[in-house]
Every structure is written in C-alpha cells, then in structure tokens.
Amino acid sequence: MVKSRVPTCYYCNDILKEEDLVIKPIPLVCKNGKGRMYKRKFHMWCLPKYLDAHKSEAVQQAETDGWDKVYQYFKLSILGLPVTSNLDTHSVERLLGLHVGQFKPNGSNIRGLERGYSWDCIYYTMQICKRTIQDSFETMTFTGDEHKTNYAMKIIAKNINFVQSKLKAAEKQQANVERLADQVKDKPKFKRRNYKKQGTSNKFGEL
C-alpha cells in the first residue's frame, strides 16, 4: 500500500495543516530554460515572507534587464551609435520619462512604478518605428543631438498606445486561456462503462 505524501510548505518545508494552507502560483524556470507559473503550497504566514524575499530582487532584475534592452536598442538601432559609446543625458532622460509617462522623470528613482509604459512596450514600439525613424533621419536636417532624439521620441510616442493596447489584449487572452485550462484540468473525469447485452455472449469462441 502506497502512503499518501504529507503536504509540506514550499517556503519552510514544515508539514501543512489544511486550515493553514494557501496556494499561490509563482514563476519558476523549467528545465528548458523557459519560465512559467507553478502552483505551490504555503503556510498562510510563510507566503508573505516568500513574496517579500523574492519580489524586490525579481522586480529590480526585471527593471535592469528591461532598461538595458531599451537603452542598447535606442543607441545602436535607432541612433546608430558605436557599441562603445554612451547615450547622452537628454536621450537617457527621454527614455526614462517615457517609462513613467512623462517628458522627463522628476527623479532618478523610477523602479517598480506602475505608470507610463513598460520596457517591453517601449522596446517593441521602437522596433515597429525603426524604419520610419531612419527614413526621417536621412531626409531631415537637425539642429543637434537633442533635436534628433526628440524627433525619434515623437514618432515612438505617437505609436506606443497602439502597441500597449495590443500587449494588453494578448495578456488578457493568455489569462483567459490559462483560466480555461485550469477549469478543464479541475473538471472531474468520468469513466465510460461498457455494457454487455444479455444473450449475446461470444459462442464462436467456444468452438
């Protein structure tokens, strides 16, 4: 007889009682290197500790990675600057401002603010606008680097709401798919029973 496994807390590994149990989907990396959400069981008092211990680090890393991706793309693919060069202060401030929905940010501490546009949204918008921006650079005369940056940002700002709406629609669709998958997974399965008609036994098998 196989013993049923006693549930334990994902955070502290102590035994879980039914009245203390909470389930939380958390992001984990699969063996193939891709991340996905997995449901894990916690004590109700351990879950906040887990979230506090991981949220700050995860948010900071995501912010750093997102900013670096946008910074490098604007420098290399939009402005066409050398790899070893740095963006000027004005370009940096315009990109940071777009992230928080302003012309320029009021301060440098913008990590984790839920306003403006995500780094992914800015990045995808720049990719879409790249050809338009480069064409304008070839045909227009600019008074300086700030004027050139401002014109590029004007094109990006003109298209970013469209990109954001598409990203939100995709996120909503993904959430609906995951919700449907959970409903199907939790739906009880019924075994199909085979009924044998009376008087139809296989007599040929006895020959």
Side-chain angles (χ1 to χ4, degrees):
M1 182 178 178
V2 180
K3 293 184 178 180
S4 60
R5 185 183 176 187
V6 178
T8 57
C9 176
Y10 185 71
Y11 179 73
C12 70
N13 205 38
D14 286 341
I15 295 175
L16 276 169
K17 296 181 180 179
E18 188 68 25
E19 61 268 23
D20 301 328
L21 184 150
V22 289
I23 299 176
K24 172 73 176 176
I26 59 173
L28 296 174
V29 178
C30 307
K31 292 182 179 180
N32 60 9
K34 296 182 179 180
R36 57 171 291 189
M37 302 299 289
Y38 288 89
K39 291 181 179 180
R40 291 293 182 261
K41 298 177 181 179
F42 296 85
H43 291 113
M44 61 177 63
W45 55 85
C46 285
L47 179 57
K49 297 177 183 178
Y50 176 85
L51 295 178
D52 289 340
H54 289 77
K55 183 179 180 181
S56 178
E57 181 180 351
V59 169
Q60 289 183 10
Q61 187 61 50
E63 284 280 324
T64 300
D65 293 344
W67 163 245
D68 184 64
K69 182 168 64 173
V70 166
Y71 180 100
Q72 295 297 331
Y73 193 88
F74 191 79
K75 180 182 75 172
L76 302 175
S77 300
I78 300 298
L79 297 182
L81 299 176
V83 176
T84 55
S85 66
N86 295 319
L87 282 178
D88 60 276
T89 302
H90 179 73
S91 295
V92 170
E93 290 178 341
R94 287 304 314 273
L95 290 172
L96 293 174
L98 190 61
H99 184 47
V100 293
Q102 299 173 341
F103 184 81
K104 289 184 178 181
N106 294 327
S108 59
N109 185 19
I110 64 170
R111 286 182 180 273
L113 298 180
E114 295 296 326
R115 60 175 186 259
Y117 303 94
S118 69
W119 292 126
D120 281 343
C121 184
I122 297 172
Y123 178 74
Y124 294 140
T125 306
M126 289 194 299
Q127 288 184 314
I128 292 173
C129 298
K130 177 182 176 181
R131 176 53 56 192
T132 303
I133 295 172
Q134 289 180 336
D135 289 345
S136 68
F137 285 174
E138 294 175 0
T139 57
M140 292 185 62
T141 301
F142 299 97
T143 58
D145 292 339
E146 287 191 11
H147 184 200
K148 191 174 184 179
T149 292
N150 286 342
Y151 195 85
M153 294 300 295
K154 182 179 179 180
I155 296 174
I156 293 169
K158 185 178 179 180
N159 292 275
I160 198 166
N161 284 331
F162 170 78
V163 175
Q164 187 181 52
S165 66
K166 292 298 182 182
L167 289 175
K168 286 185 176 181
E171 291 174 0
K172 184 176 181 181
Q173 183 178 13
Q174 180 63 28
N176 290 335
V177 170
E178 291 176 356
R179 190 180 303 110
L180 179 61
D182 288 339
Q183 291 175 355
V184 172
K185 183 175 62 176
D186 296 337
K187 187 176 181 180
K189 296 181 179 180
F190 298 96
K191 284 188 176 182
R192 186 174 181 179
R193 298 180 62 183
N194 294 322
Y195 294 94
K196 199 172 184 181
K197 293 182 179 180
Q198 293 183 357
T200 58
S201 59
N202 186 4
K203 296 183 178 179
F204 293 100
E206 299 174 1
L207 296 178

